[in-house]
Amino acid sequence: MIKKCCPPPIERDQVKKKEISVSVLQNTSSTGYRHHENMIEMAGGEFLMGTADPESFIEDGEGPVRPVQLKPFYIDRYAVTNAQFQEFILETGYITDAERYGWSFVFHLFVSDEMKRSIQNVVQQTPWWYQVDGACWKHPEGRDSSIVNRMEHPVVHVSWNDAQAYCSWSGKRLLTEAEWEYAARGGLIQKKYPWGDILTPMGKHSCNIWQGVFPTLDLGNDGFIGTAPVDAYAPNHYGLYNMVGNVWEWCSDWFTNRHLGEEIVIDPKGPRTGDEKVIKGGSYLCHKSYCNRYRVAARSHNTVDSSTGHMGFRCAADL
Ligand SMILES: [Ca+2]
């Protein structure tokens, strides 16, 4: 059985979608990419993507291990923060999918008992997700919550559409899955995590995941229950922070669990079409007992208008 702890399958098509005019959101900066100072140049070249790790989820399409070649690109050092996303919203007036629909998925530990009693819609396969009215990027736990003390945390409750709109405004783009995995590996070959094969080297926590008993007790031994600031923990060898844990990150590729093996692939961009987009890196909700997807080869997927309290993104750009 696939342990689908993470992004709940969202059925929002009961709400008529408005066309989003991304054309009005084109980059208005005369200096090029926004927040370019926080981007790092990746040299590109060949690397081994995917894994044959016995811990991997075969049904997710984590394998086979395959050679991939990439051209150089820029990548954000950190996930996009609440502060950056607010800048985008203030300049453009953009309305996120969660705001248009009027709700988003919030993890049960962040929903008050009083609020739970009034919520009818709980995801059956993953009952720890509550459909909370008013939950959105600036109210992560519902209308009465705020991001005031979390401006340097990753923005969440953003759909793939929202991430695309932000990228368009900032003159950037989402990473392909291959770029994401190349960057996350930090130059290490076929290691489990961005820093090596040991989850807590010398007993030290290196990413924001779940400790305790999922989904009821998060001990927060890594310092955080819920999101952490985007610069928490040490970066990988490429200088990138929180490539695994903290929040899932949207990629540009449509999802498939079938890949070509052996033949080297150059700048893969995923299938031409699909139903769901790839997400990478796992989140603060991942635990070895259930959703061991905070490994660099791990992957999951969700629909383009889905949003949750544990999905965000970072940007890339062409050189
Ligand atoms: Ca944690």
Side-chain angles (χ1 to χ4, degrees):
M1 192 188 89
I2 298 178
K3 289 183 170 180
K4 280 288 291 175
C5 64
C6 292
I10 292 187
E11 296 295 338
R12 279 166 153 174
D13 50 6
Q14 69 273 25
V15 181
K16 194 172 184 304
K17 282 194 75 172
K18 284 187 217 162
E19 287 299 316
I20 302 168
S21 177
V22 175
S23 61
V24 301
L25 302 173
Q26 294 300 316
N27 176 32
T28 55
S29 167
S30 59
T31 55
Y33 312 127
R34 305 224 181 205
H35 302 294
H36 185 250
E37 69 282 3
N38 283 332
M39 298 194 97
I40 297 179
E41 184 178 331
M42 297 285 107
E46 192 177 319
F47 83 108
L48 291 176
M49 185 170 177
T51 187
D53 187 340
E55 276 187 28
S56 67
F57 295 106
I58 294 168
E59 62 276 16
D60 282 355
E62 291 191 38
V65 177
R66 54 213 184 269
V68 166
Q69 192 160 354
L70 296 175
K71 61 175 185 284
F73 60 98
Y74 289 121
I75 180 174
D76 283 351
R77 195 183 291 271
Y78 315 107
V80 172
T81 63
N82 284 320
Q84 290 170 331
F85 200 78
Q86 179 173 267
E87 190 185 330
F88 158 62
I89 297 289
L90 291 176
E91 275 198 29
T92 63
Y94 179 82
I95 296 170
T96 61
D97 278 333
E99 290 169 293
R100 291 190 302 110
Y101 289 121
W103 61 271
S104 187
F105 278 118
V106 179
F107 189 69
H108 73 114
L109 293 186
F110 306 126
V111 182
S112 68
D113 289 341
E114 186 189 344
M115 208 186 290
K116 280 178 184 170
R117 282 192 287 275
S118 67
I119 294 173
Q120 308 295 323
N121 295 313
V122 177
V123 183
Q124 285 199 339
Q125 307 95 312
T126 51
W128 39 86
W129 287 107
Y130 279 74
Q131 184 177 317
V132 174
D133 286 347
C136 66
W137 72 275
K138 60 184 171 183
H139 302 297
E141 291 83 37
R143 289 195 183 92
D144 295 335
S145 64
S146 158
I147 54 172
V148 167
N149 297 320
R150 288 177 273 179
M151 294 311 283
E152 297 308 316
H153 286 223
V155 64
V156 291
H157 297 294
V158 282
S159 68
W160 186 89
N161 295 326
D162 303 330
Q164 280 288 94
Y166 177 94
C167 287
S168 182
W169 166 79
S170 62
K172 301 179 185 175
R173 60 175 174 79
L174 286 175
L175 292 138
T176 66
E177 182 183 8
E179 288 172 336
W180 189 98
E181 192 168 317
Y182 165 90
R185 288 182 180 280
L188 301 177
I189 299 168
Q190 285 290 295
K191 297 293 185 189
K192 211 183 285 274
Y193 309 113
W195 55 85
D197 276 332
I198 308 295
L199 180 59
T200 52
M202 311 286 280
K204 195 175 164 202
H205 288 282
S206 302
C207 66
N208 179 19
I209 52 176
W210 180 289
Q211 293 88 37
V213 183
F214 186 86
T216 51
L217 177 66
D218 185 358
L219 297 169
N221 292 337
D222 57 23
F224 302 96
I225 293 172
T227 56
V230 296
D231 63 351
Y233 309 103
N236 72 1
H237 292 321
Y238 288 161
L240 304 172
Y241 289 75
N242 289 296
M243 291 301 288
V244 300
N246 218 16
V247 292
W248 283 98
E249 298 185 4
W250 288 109
C251 292
S252 56
D253 311 41
W254 291 109
F255 180 84
T256 178
N257 57 8
R258 296 181 184 187
H259 313 289
L260 298 173
E262 297 176 10
E263 289 282 305
I264 189 159
V265 183
I266 299 171
D267 289 315
K269 292 181 169 56
R272 285 171 187 269
T273 60
D275 299 321
E276 297 185 287
K277 291 288 185 178
V278 172
I279 53 175
K280 292 284 275 186
S283 81
Y284 59 84
L285 296 181
C286 287
H287 183 257
K288 189 168 185 174
S289 70
Y290 202 89
C291 177
N292 178 10
R293 291 189 176 87
Y294 43 88
R295 295 167 292 101
V296 287
R299 53 207 300 271
S300 192
H301 46 88
N302 214 329
T303 52
V304 295
D305 59 349
S306 290
S307 63
T308 68
H310 74 336
M311 290 196 297
F313 66 103
R314 78 178 69 207
C315 305
D318 296 321
L319 255 60

